[in-house]
Every structure is written in structure tokens, then in C-alpha cells.
């Protein structure tokens, strides 16, 4: 199957700072990528859909000014958590679409202190 | 509202037995349903997709059934092995068009020797 990478795999930042997470499709071009968030023992929650060359589509309740998404190329989408707070600490996972299935990155563990 | 319920949070079985996991959904009319495996601290990995006109799908030791009348899918792992221990997620496409996925909370499977 297709390979999706994420960087970094984990990050610790101080409250009020910003953190950028990269998601790359390594062996295919992804016009659409998705960003999910997962809290412990919870299901993955879709945050936004990232479309190459256009603005991201955010799910209800997700602040677009806080979670900035950029999909500047067919192989790279980035999620920037701005002015991070402890409640933003979570596991962030990106995915790229196949035909109907999705290929997920390994996830990024964000801890805000 | 749309719901996906995986009604066992955890399932413990002995090696060699068949594990059966259940996924029930409400307020969806899915054209297909997907199953993923997630290991701790990792992104989900796609396992199987079954379409509404398919009663059953098999892949090696995995078997999935899909009953659109009961609004239920069953996921079976035959001849289970300790390496099958993971969380298994049921997922439905929000719009049936290869869009983003809604996930159940998952069932944590533990296979003991």
C-alpha cells in the first residue's frame, strides 16, 4: 500500500507557542489529505480536509485560525497548531486518500506544557 | 445523529480461536464499510473494504460480513495469533464518495498464548 509519513513523531512545546506538523505521501500524489485528532481511548475525530492548491475544509467545532492547514504540493500537507494550549495535547494523524480506503501516517504526539 | 458503535471495548481470546468483532451503525446509508487495525501510538492500517452488495469478504485469516438490513458488520479473525493483538476500527465514509471517514471507538483485541 501507499506510504504516508509524518514529522515529527512527537513534540513537546510550551503553552502559547506554535507547532508545525508535516504529512507527506512518499510514493504517490495526494490531492486530498485528511487531518484527524485522537484522544486516549477515543476514536479518531476528523478535523479538516486538505485539498492541494485550495483552502482546507474544517469540521464543525474546529477553529480554522488555530489549526492552520497548508497543502502546497501534491505530496505535502502541513498542520500548524497556533498558540497551543494544554488542551491541544493529543495524537494528530494525517491520511491520504486511495480509491476509497485511506492511508494513514504514523501520527504525531503533541504535548503542550 | 450518525453513530458507529463497536460494542466491545475489549476482547480477550486464546490463541488459535476465532475472534469476532461487531460494528453497528445508525443514520448511515453506506455504500461500503471499512475495517482498520491500529497499534498503540501508531496510525491505523487499512485491512478490508466491503461494499453494500457484498455479503462477505475474505483476506487470508480475515473475514468481514456486511448486513445493511441489520446495519451491522462482523469482523472475524480465524486461527488468531498473539500478533493479532491490536485495536480494530470500523469506519464509514461520510458521503460515500471517497471523502473522509467516521470511525468507531474500536475494539481492543488481546490474543493470549
Amino acid at each position: 500500500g501507499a506510504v504516508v509519513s509524518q514529522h515529527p513523531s512527537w513534540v513537546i512545546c510550551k503553552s502559547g507557542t506554535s507547532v508545525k506538523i508535516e504529512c507527506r505521501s512518499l510514493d504517490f500524489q495526494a490531492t486530498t489529505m485528511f487531518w484527524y485528532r485522537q484522544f486516549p481511548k477515543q476514536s479518531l475525530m476528523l478535523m479538516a480536509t486538505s485539498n492541494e492548491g485550495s483552502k482546507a475544509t474544517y469540521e464543525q467545532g474546529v477553529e480554522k485560525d488555530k489549526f492552520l492547514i497548508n497543502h502546497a504540493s501534491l505530496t505535502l500537507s502541513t498542520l500548524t497548531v497556533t498558540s497551543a494550549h494544554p488542551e491541544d495535547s493529543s495524537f494528530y494523524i494525517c491520511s491520504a486518500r486511495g480509491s476509497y480506503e485511506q492511508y494513514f501516517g504514523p501520527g504525531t504526539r503533541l504535548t503542550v506544557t | 445523529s450518525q453513530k458507529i458503535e463497536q460494542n466491545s471495548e475489549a476482547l480477550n481470546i486464546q490463541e488459535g480461536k476465532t475472534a469476532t468483532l461487531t460494528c453497528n451503525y445508525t443514520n448511515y446509508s453506506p455504500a461500503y464499510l471499512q475495517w482498520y487495525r491500529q497499534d498503540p501510538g501508531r496510525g491505523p492500517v487499512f485491512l478490508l473494504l466491503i461494499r453494500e452488495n457484498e455479503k462477505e469478504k475474505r483476506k487470508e485469516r480475515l473475514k468481514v460480513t456486511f448486513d445493511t438490513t441489520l446495519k451491522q458488520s462482523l469482523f472475524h479473525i480465524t486461527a488468531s495469533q498473539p500478533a493479532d493483538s491490536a485495536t480494530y476500527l470500523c469506519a464509514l465514509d461520510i458521503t460515500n464518495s471517497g471523502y473522509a471517514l467516521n470511525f468507531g471507538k474500536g475494539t481492543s483485541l488481546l490474543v493470549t498464548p
Side-chain angles (χ1 to χ4, degrees):
Chain A
V3 179
V4 175
S5 71
Q6 273 184 251
H7 178 79
S9 55
W10 60 271
V11 58
I12 301 172
C13 72
K14 290 191 175 179
S15 190
T17 61
S18 295
V19 172
K20 180 187 281 189
I21 302 170
E22 291 186 351
C23 176
R24 292 181 186 274
S25 57
L26 296 186
D27 52 0
F28 67 105
Q29 293 184 331
T31 54
T32 303
M33 289 184 171
F34 303 97
W35 286 96
Y36 294 83
R37 181 165 53 180
Q38 187 177 34
F39 293 105
K41 296 192 182 295
Q42 298 295 315
S43 61
L44 282 78
M45 296 299 296
L46 177 67
M47 298 176 67
T49 301
S50 170
N51 297 300
E52 187 266 338
S54 65
K55 289 185 179 180
T57 305
Y58 291 82
E59 294 302 300
Q60 196 172 10
V62 178
E63 299 174 59
K64 62 180 181 181
D65 295 330
K66 180 171 182 61
F67 298 99
L68 301 179
I69 291 172
N70 186 285
H71 195 154
S73 79
L74 287 171
T75 59
L76 174 64
S77 175
T78 61
L79 168 69
T80 301
V81 183
T82 62
S83 187
H85 290 125
E87 56 264 33
D88 297 324
S89 299
S90 187
F91 190 51
Y92 292 86
I93 314 174
C94 70
S95 71
R97 246 179 65 180
S99 303
Y100 291 96
E101 71 281 10
Q102 290 187 20
Y103 300 102
F104 286 85
T108 297
R109 172 76 57 195
L110 170 64
T111 302
V112 184
T113 60
Chain B
S1 63
Q2 294 176 318
K3 283 186 184 177
I4 302 172
E5 292 180 346
Q6 294 185 248
N7 56 0
S8 296
E9 259 199 41
L11 181 64
N12 292 355
I13 63 166
Q14 216 171 7
E15 183 176 8
K17 302 288 187 187
T18 296
T20 299
L21 285 63
T22 305
C23 174
N24 294 290
Y25 58 90
T26 53
N27 295 321
Y28 281 96
S29 297
Y32 53 91
L33 181 147
Q34 303 181 39
W35 284 89
Y36 288 78
R37 168 182 172 143
Q38 186 175 25
D39 289 282
R42 307 291 294 173
V45 174
F46 172 73
L47 294 175
L48 279 168
L49 179 152
I50 185 166
R51 300 185 185 280
E52 60 177 339
N53 60 350
E54 297 175 315
K55 295 290 184 201
E56 182 179 296
K57 195 91 170 267
R58 291 176 185 261
K59 179 183 174 183
E60 298 172 353
R61 293 183 296 111
L62 308 180
K63 184 179 88 170
V64 172
T65 62
F66 191 15
D67 188 325
T68 55
T69 303
L70 289 178
K71 297 186 183 296
Q72 181 180 81
S73 175
L74 299 179
F75 177 82
H76 306 273
I77 305 176
T78 58
S80 59
Q81 303 166 0
D84 296 326
S85 299
T87 297
Y88 292 86
L89 305 168
C90 167
L92 289 172
D93 186 319
I94 293 172
T95 62
N96 281 330
S97 58
Y99 185 57
L101 297 173
N102 276 344
F103 286 86
K105 267 191 175 181
T107 296
S108 176
L109 174 66
L110 178 63
V111 181
T112 52

